[in-house]
Every structure is written in structure tokens, then in C-alpha cells.
Amino acid sequence: MLRATVILQPPHPIHLGQTLGTLARGHEDPLFRSVHTRDQEQYWVSSTYRNEGVLLCFSREHSTVKDLAQRLMHPITVRLWCHSDASALEQAAANLPYWLGFHDVWDAFLTLSTYRDLPLVLRETQRNNPGIRLSATGQLTRHMVTAIAEQKVTGIEAMGGMRAIIRELGSPVPATGNPHQPTGMFFFPDARAIRRLPSWKWHRFGFDSARSKAILAYTDRATSLEHLAHTAPVEQLASALNTLPGIGPWTISEALQRSHGHPDAISVGDFHLAHLVGYALTGRRTDDAGMLHLLKPWAGHRARVVALIKASGVLEPRRAPRLAPEDHRFI
């Protein structure tokens, strides 16, 4: 097994939990886990480079420094492990600053003439949380397949289905010898393996035909789309993804927010987001068209506004019971 350690000095405040935490899909995500010890916080993430799985552990020592911004400037240690491909390890190490949001500079947003038009609670949220950054993992296939799995179903259904696929087709991460390494983590399966999954297993894992067909449509072109993701502007990639059957603006935005840290990607069609944005900005819920109208003054930075809304804790009062998932597998 190959291993490496990289120590990174942030160029601006970085909050590990608020930056990397957006990658987690539930508490028992086989691709992401957080561990908090007496001495440090750790975030374990599996990734893939050059078709080789690379396990990442981001950590930072706890500090007694009172000033929050200073604490969030402390060095971040990243440990990496893979089975045999040194070039995959090197590529993963080179991409670590993007995972941590080093590229995500908020100066242009904070100096907008319209920034002062944000509600006071959101401006205070930014001042009190200077380490919020948009992570860019570069892992397009992982985020596209996961986003498709989450189309028009509850989180419980989506996460359950994805865990089943990952455990069926993915490979376990290596044992590192670290006493705090979480159990049950896997590498995301290769697109070719997903394409070979028989139809009866999609049904068994709780996927309807629309989502399984959309995932297969993506995996059929995964190689060319991943190349485009690393060589073309994000707008060109979004246009290419939009040509795939069963894949629309919501799915594309959800994926690009995480793979590219896209600062303006908005998940139009989300069951809750428009209501949340409307309530945070006006005190009233709205629809997708209303959300886009409300966010227009911060065009180019709309994902950052949404990140502040989510970090603020502002929530519209619940009006109805949670939607119960439906299970059609045995009908």
C-alpha cells in the first residue's frame, strides 16, 4: 500500500466541517465519515483518480486560540492511501486545495453593491462563519450518479439505494492502521461496473426505471464527460450534461456544486429549496421562478447565498408531516 502526508496552509479561513460536510449523504455514508477526537477533527473521504481508489483523511488539531478566523487559518493535514498507483496518489495530492475550497474566494461577492441588500441575519452568518467555502472534488461521476439517485424521492430512499450500489459494486477502502479510521467505507464503483448492473438488481435496490435509465445514460458517456469536466468551461460541461435523457437542471446543479464548487449553481426543482430561499429573504415561501427572481441581485454568487441561508439556521415552520417513502419492489 502507498501512503503520503500533505500539510496545507490555507490562504483564507477554512472551516473543515462546513466545507467538506456538504459531501456527506447521510450519517452512514460509505464514501464520507467525520470523526472527532479529543485532539483533532477528522474527515475521511474516498475518491478515485486514474481508476485507482485513494482514501483521504483531512484533519486539524484543536486549538485554544480565541479568535475564530485565526483558528480557521491553522494548517490542515491530509493523509492519503492507495493500493498501488503512485500517479493516482500524486494526482489526488495535487487536487487537495480544491477539495478544501482554497480556490473559493468570496471577495467579489462581499464587495458587491447588492451585498448589503442581503438580510442582516445572512450578513451576520457570514461574519460569524468566515470559513464557509465551496468544495470542488473533481469527482463528476460520483456526484452525477448520486444526484440522479436523489431525483424525486426521499433522502432515505436515495441514500439506501446508493449504499446498496456502492456496497455491491465498489471496493472496500484499505485498512490504514489509524486507530480512528471509520469502518464500512468503500470506493465509488467505476462507471463500467454500474453499466453492467442487471435490471433486476436496480429494482431490488429500490430504483425506478426513470432513475436507473438516467444513470445508465450518464455512464454510457462518462469517459467523455469526465474529460470535458477537466478540460472545458463548466458552462460547456453543463450544456453537455443537459443533452442526456432524464437529466435536467436540478441534477446538473447538484453535481456541479460539489464536483466544481460552482458558485452560481442553483438547484431549480428542489422540493424544499425555493421555500427555504423565499422564507429567508422575504419571510414567505415561493416557487422556483420566485426564487430565481429573488436571487438575481447576487447573480454569479447564488450558491454562496444559499450556503449562507443553510448555515444561518433559518427554517420555515413545518406545515405537514414528512413524506413517507414508498416501496414498490415487492409489488
Side-chain angles (χ1 to χ4, degrees):
M1 182 171 62
L2 303 178
R3 63 186 70 207
T5 300
V6 179
I7 299 176
L8 298 168
Q9 178 60 54
H12 42 236
I14 300 289
H15 190 292
L16 285 181
Q18 290 175 324
T19 300
L20 297 174
T22 59
L23 306 177
R25 318 315 289 165
H27 295 296
E28 295 298 322
D29 187 345
L31 308 176
F32 180 100
R33 298 288 175 82
S34 61
V35 176
H36 296 270
T37 72
R38 185 181 65 179
D39 301 319
Q40 62 180 215
E41 55 180 326
Q42 297 180 350
Y43 297 88
W44 294 75
V45 193
S46 64
S47 63
T48 305
Y49 290 93
R50 303 174 63 87
N51 296 319
E52 171 89 2
V54 180
L55 179 62
L56 311 173
C57 176
F58 300 84
S59 65
R60 177 185 267 156
E61 300 294 325
H62 292 313
S63 171
T64 57
V65 174
K66 292 184 179 180
D67 184 81
L68 175 61
Q70 289 185 27
R71 290 204 307 272
L72 298 180
M73 289 292 293
H74 283 191
I76 298 167
T77 299
V78 189
R79 293 176 173 84
L80 308 89
W81 299 267
C82 75
H83 287 294
S84 58
D85 190 343
S87 63
L89 205 66
E90 292 170 358
Q91 187 177 357
N95 281 275
L96 293 176
Y98 294 98
W99 284 78
L100 291 165
F102 285 15
H103 64 287
D104 187 29
V105 179
W106 286 42
D107 292 357
F109 173 49
L110 301 179
T111 56
L112 277 178
S113 60
T114 54
Y115 179 75
R116 300 294 301 178
D117 296 331
L118 282 172
L120 177 60
V121 65
L122 298 186
R123 286 181 278 130
E124 289 180 340
T125 296
Q126 194 284 321
R127 284 195 296 270
N128 295 331
N129 297 270
I132 296 176
R133 304 291 162 180
L134 303 179
S135 177
T137 71
Q139 308 281 294
L140 180 66
T141 292
R142 164 184 177 165
H143 298 304
M144 276 298 299
V145 173
T146 301
I148 296 169
E150 294 174 348
Q151 290 177 352
K152 299 180 180 180
V153 295
T154 66
I156 293 173
E157 293 171 284
M159 290 182 286
M162 279 311 307
R163 287 171 189 160
I165 288 178
I166 292 166
R167 289 165 180 158
E168 174 82 8
L169 303 176
S171 57
V173 302
T176 66
N178 186 308
H180 302 297
Q181 179 181 358
T183 59
M185 290 191 68
F186 284 75
F187 292 119
F188 196 81
D190 181 81
R192 292 169 296 183
I194 296 175
R195 284 203 302 272
R196 293 194 295 267
L197 194 67
S199 59
W200 67 268
K201 282 201 172 179
W202 286 107
H203 187 64
R204 177 182 173 186
F205 294 159
F207 283 83
D208 55 75
S209 61
R211 289 184 297 143
S212 62
K213 288 178 180 178
I215 289 175
L216 293 174
Y218 171 81
T219 56
D220 281 342
R221 291 180 54 190
T223 300
S224 60
L225 289 167
E226 287 173 349
H227 175 74
L228 199 63
H230 293 98
T231 59
V234 69
E235 294 79 13
Q236 185 178 341
L237 172 62
S239 295
L241 291 168
N242 198 44
T243 65
L244 299 176
I247 294 173
W250 182 88
T251 304
I252 295 168
S253 292
E254 285 288 304
L256 296 185
Q257 286 166 18
R258 295 168 177 83
S259 67
H260 285 64
H262 195 327
D264 201 44
I266 292 297
S267 302
V268 175
D270 189 276
F271 186 75
H272 300 289
L273 185 62
H275 297 164
L276 176 63
V277 171
Y279 187 78
L281 297 179
T282 68
R284 300 182 301 276
R285 62 166 48 194
T286 188
D287 56 13
D288 283 333
M291 174 180 69
L292 294 176
H293 176 73
L294 288 173
L295 291 173
K296 189 175 181 179
W298 306 285
H301 307 275
R302 295 177 298 176
R304 294 183 175 124
V305 175
V306 171
L308 291 179
I309 290 172
K310 291 180 178 179
S312 72
V314 174
L315 294 172
E316 180 189 19
R318 287 181 58 186
R319 300 168 182 265
R322 288 184 182 274
L323 180 65
E326 298 182 12
D327 191 342
H328 301 284
R329 288 174 292 177
F330 307 108
I331 295 177

